[in-house]
Amino acid sequence: MSTGSEGGGATAVRPPPFGTGQRIRTRAIWAVSLFTAAMPPAVVGFGISTATDDQVNVAMPLALLFWVLGFLFALWAAVPTLRHWDGLPAQTRWLGALPLLSVSLFLSVALFLPLLR
């Protein structure tokens, strides 16, 4: 008798494919690095746009490029993390999920901040 579908709904947790945890960690680290790399150009670009009348600068598109690349890496880490959630160690679960959670938190704050004014 199998314990899969008949035994009270308990199913065995399969381990993720070999190397999945390392790939998730690598992608999450790249996501955080790219989000961090987006901060200095964003600060410089914001300073240029508010301090001068010249609205054309290279810093803001560079910051946006780093942020979008970080978002893609965060998605790339979150999808296998969510797919293999039960088979991964707790540290790898949160490392794979936190970059995308921080992006969603940042976007939520950015959307609600104008409503509070």
Side-chain angles (χ1 to χ4, degrees), residues 89-109:
Q91 296 87 359
T92 306
R93 289 180 192 173
W94 289 110
L95 186 63
L98 281 177
L100 193 60
L101 287 174
S102 65
V103 168
S104 65
L105 177 65
F106 172 73
L107 291 177
S108 298
V109 168

Side-chain angles (χ1 to χ4, degrees), residues 64-81:
L64 183 65
L65 174 72
F66 283 143
W67 191 88
V68 168
L69 286 174
F71 179 72
L72 291 175
F73 271 92
L75 276 176
W76 202 18
V79 169
T81 300

Side-chain angles (χ1 to χ4, degrees), residues 2-67:
S2 68
T3 60
S5 61
E6 301 170 27
T11 59
V13 176
R14 291 186 344 191
F18 181 74
T20 301
Q22 180 63 38
R23 284 191 298 273
I24 290 170
R25 287 190 299 271
T26 303
R27 294 169 187 167
I29 290 168
W30 270 102
V32 171
S33 300
L34 287 165
F35 288 145
T36 305
M39 295 307 293
V43 170
V44 169
F46 183 71
I48 291 172
S49 66
T50 57
T52 64
D53 293 333
D54 185 23
Q55 297 295 319
V56 178
N57 61 33
V58 179
M60 290 304 273
L62 189 61
L64 183 65
L65 174 72
F66 283 143
W67 191 88

